[in-house]
Amino acid sequence: MAENFKTSGWSGRFSEPVSEQVKRYTASADFDRRMYAEDIAGSLAHARMLKDAKILSVSDFADIERGLKQISEEITEGVFTWSIDLEDVHLNIERRLTELVGDAGKRLHTGRSRNDQVATDIRLWLRNAIDHLSTHLALLRRAFLMLASRHEDVIMPGFTHLQVAQPITFAHHLLAYEAMFARDSERLDDARRRVNHLPLGAAALAGTSYPINRQQVADELGFEALCGNSLDAVSDRDFAIEFSAAAVLIMVHLSRFSEELVLWSSPRFGFIRLADSFCTGSSIMPQKKNPDVPELVRGKTGRVVGHLMALITLMKSQPLAYNKDNQEDKEPLFDTVDTLMATLAIVTDLVAHGITPEPERMREAAREGYATATDLADYLVRRGMPFRDAHEAVAQAVREAETKNLDLAALPLPTLKRFSSLIDEDVYDVLTLEGSVASRNHPGGTAPEQVRKAIDQALAQLDAEKR
Ligand code: ARG
């Protein structure tokens, strides 16, 4: 028996050894070793509970505690020998524990299975990852708010269909992204609540005949609740899928912003300058400065979306309870977290230090696009004209301005009066970009007064979220 365990951890009833090819195909130690700290924490909590429930002796527990501590040090120092003969992180650690402390090591697995063990490890790992991501997301939101507060009065064209629509402030545009990321934070918090349930105790699938105390293990590991049904506890990975979906939305929001940075920094737009440190040059065209960072954010969104598809597809049609398919949950999840973490960090730096608006170029674009046409229509409506008629009158005024190659505000009063006798000298107040923006003065509107309030509210919200 002892010899068998040395090679695989489960091969007692097998008459021939597993082939090298099968070993390589089925092993996960190369990637799941990343959960070693969680695996050790879970084992420690399990062993302590077994001791308190008198399932394990006090001296066996002391041996296990000492052995796991040493293993943890060996792994952090890089001197631990990993072997794919031992399939995964769980069996590698358990084998080493038995080498170090003998029989006590072999007793650790009493009342549990790798099925509830791995489900516990992945939940602990993901909970920790979510906490890191939430911190990074809060930093990103703060960077957006700081950039917005430096440019509350900068006016730019707002777009629909990528065509100039109405003037807005640059700060208002930035706050739209902060609002997306605020919802993303809520989604992470919400996903975390369902991640934070303890599977341990479900054992292989049906529970265990030992008098275990699951609540004690949950308390030691900081789980908010126990997973209920044991079959469900060891098999479903919906918590990972939910998290991935939240991660995808964050990447989607980041990719939308990145696309705007690419457009805005292009010479055609010229709305912003991106700091050189976030761009690269072309090896052949000396005039070029490429926005590589935002382009890569856009590109990396694809792979995070792909990981979500992988997780959903691996779960689909799995019969109860645990199946080896679930071993495939780790790499997509790890790469999702790594990609998102790196992306949040670099975009936060970019927003904090890498974006300089060019207000003159923005104004020019707003003027060329007749962005205040709606304001002229609203002016006529306030003077009694039905909106549809006003719309038509303004369309003709715009056509006139276009043929003369002039801004609406540059048309003389007699010319404007040709389109409606309701137009007076005060029309020029609404035709200016400042007048247009200032008039949208209600919660959620683009008036600088509202934008200032929105920034303050968002900052207060961020402070309130700090745990
Ligand atoms: N390496 C496995 C995984 O990641 C651990 C659980 C294996 N359980 C089993 N009965 N083969 O899912």
Side-chain angles (χ1 to χ4, degrees):
M1 253 336 248
E3 274 313 298
N4 277 331
F5 182 68
K6 269 217 154 99
T7 49
S8 74
W10 42 251
S11 58
R13 68 169 276 267
F14 283 59
S15 52
E16 53 177 339
V18 171
S19 77
E20 275 306 313
Q21 185 190 28
V22 169
K23 248 188 237 166
R24 272 200 310 279
Y25 193 74
T26 56
S28 55
D30 282 345
F31 53 85
D32 67 14
R33 66 176 70 170
R34 213 175 144 163
M35 306 188 301
Y36 81 86
E38 289 76 14
D39 196 66
I40 289 174
S43 288
L44 209 53
H46 176 69
R48 197 187 318 280
M49 178 279 289
L50 291 180
K51 176 211 30 147
D52 291 346
K54 310 240 179 317
I55 302 165
L56 198 68
S57 73
V58 170
S59 80
D60 278 347
F61 173 69
D63 286 347
I64 289 172
E65 197 177 27
R66 176 170 51 82
L68 288 175
K69 185 162 178 288
Q70 177 170 339
I71 290 170
S72 170
E73 287 163 6
E74 288 177 359
I75 297 174
T76 35
E77 285 161 19
V79 297
F80 187 90
T81 315
W82 295 96
S83 159
I84 66 156
D85 288 342
L86 289 150
E87 202 175 313
D88 54 26
V89 61
H90 324 292
L91 292 174
N92 270 271
I93 290 178
E94 196 185 322
R95 195 276 316 255
R96 178 72 181 134
L97 183 66
T98 303
E99 267 174 22
L100 289 172
V101 305
D103 280 357
K106 295 188 207 158
R107 294 203 173 97
L108 170 62
H109 212 50
T110 310
R112 78 171 180 186
S113 148
R114 272 185 300 150
N115 297 350
D116 57 347
Q117 187 178 358
V118 70
T120 301
D121 292 1
I122 196 87
R123 283 172 185 261
L124 281 174
W125 187 89
L126 184 54
R127 184 181 75 188
N128 188 37
I130 290 175
D131 291 344
H132 278 104
L133 289 169
S134 294
T135 304
H136 277 260
L137 198 52
L139 291 173
L140 175 67
R141 286 161 64 196
R142 200 169 287 279
F144 266 98
L145 295 173
M146 292 298 108
L147 183 61
S149 67
R150 291 200 293 277
H151 304 290
E152 279 164 357
D153 299 313
V154 170
I155 293 180
M156 66 179 282
F159 295 86
T160 61
H161 313 273
L162 203 55
Q163 305 192 43
V164 171
Q166 292 172 357
I168 56 172
T169 59
F170 182 53
H172 192 56
H173 196 109
L174 295 171
L175 288 190
Y177 285 101
E178 198 282 328
M180 298 177 219
F181 295 124
R183 290 193 300 278
D184 288 330
S185 300
E186 285 178 24
R187 267 185 282 273
L188 283 183
D189 284 353
D190 192 48
R192 187 190 193 278
R193 274 205 293 282
R194 279 177 292 280
V195 167
N196 204 20
H197 289 189
L198 174 75
L200 220 53
L205 75 165
T208 174
S209 56
Y210 296 95
I212 56 169
N213 180 350
R214 296 185 69 200
Q215 192 56 51
Q216 176 182 339
V217 178
D219 291 343
E220 175 166 341
L221 296 174
F223 282 105
E224 266 164 62
L226 306 179
C227 291
N229 183 286
S230 63
L231 300 169
D232 178 43
V234 290
S235 62
D236 205 347
R237 297 291 182 264
D238 58 353
F239 61 90
I241 294 172
E242 253 190 81
F243 162 77
S244 296
V248 163
L249 279 173
I250 299 174
M251 289 300 292
V252 165
H253 291 152
L254 288 167
S255 78
R256 294 182 70 189
F257 180 60
S258 297
E259 171 67 9
E260 301 214 281
L261 294 182
V262 171
L263 285 172
W264 292 350
S265 65
S266 71
R268 287 292 163 114
F269 273 75
F271 285 7
I272 58 164
R273 265 181 299 120
L274 282 183
D276 288 353
S277 54
F278 292 95
C279 301
T280 62
S282 158
S283 49
I284 175 161
M285 296 165 283
Q287 81 281 15
K288 292 192 71 183
K289 187 171 131 183
N290 299 328
D292 285 36
V293 170
E295 286 176 36
L296 263 178
V297 172
R298 248 176 12 193
K300 283 177 190 287
T301 302
R303 78 196 242 181
V304 177
V305 171
H307 293 326
L308 171 63
M309 292 309 120
L311 289 175
I312 291 176
T313 312
L314 98 83
M315 201 67 243
K316 176 190 168 294
S317 313
Q318 270 194 53
L320 285 172
Y322 175 86
N323 301 283
K324 187 80 166 179
D325 312 41
N326 282 345
Q327 182 166 288
E328 285 289 306
D329 64 354
K330 286 162 206 71
E331 288 159 295
L333 203 53
F334 293 165
D335 190 65
T336 294
V337 169
D338 291 342
T339 306
L340 187 51
M341 201 81 98
T343 305
L344 284 172
I346 202 161
V347 177
T348 301
D349 270 5
L350 182 60
V351 173
H353 311 293
I355 297 173
T356 312
E358 298 277 15
E360 269 317 306
R361 292 296 301 267
M362 292 182 180
R363 287 188 77 86
E364 216 177 290
R367 265 193 254 104
E368 281 168 7
Y370 304 103
T372 56
T374 316
D375 298 276
L376 178 55
D378 289 342
Y379 170 91
L380 292 171
V381 168
R382 277 197 299 275
R383 305 199 149 209
M385 190 183 280
F387 184 79
R388 282 295 158 218
D389 294 342
H391 188 278
E392 182 56 31
V394 174
Q396 291 184 9
V398 167
R399 199 176 317 152
E400 172 76 14
E402 256 172 355
T403 43
K404 300 218 161 109
N405 203 15
L406 285 175
D407 174 20
L408 274 180
L411 294 177
L413 189 57
T415 311
L416 284 170
K417 269 186 175 301
R418 287 211 323 263
F419 304 105
S420 167
S421 57
L422 296 171
I423 295 179
D424 276 323
E425 188 64 40
D426 62 354
V427 73
Y428 292 104
D429 297 342
V430 309
L431 289 182
T432 63
L433 297 175
E434 275 74 15
S436 166
V437 163
S439 69
R440 290 167 164 75
N441 193 8
H442 52 75
T446 192
E449 190 187 331
Q450 292 297 334
V451 170
R452 263 188 290 282
K453 277 190 203 160
I455 292 173
D456 289 344
Q457 276 167 10
L459 282 171
Q461 172 65 31
L462 260 180
D463 289 336
E465 284 171 23
K466 265 199 198 145
R467 278 181 275 239

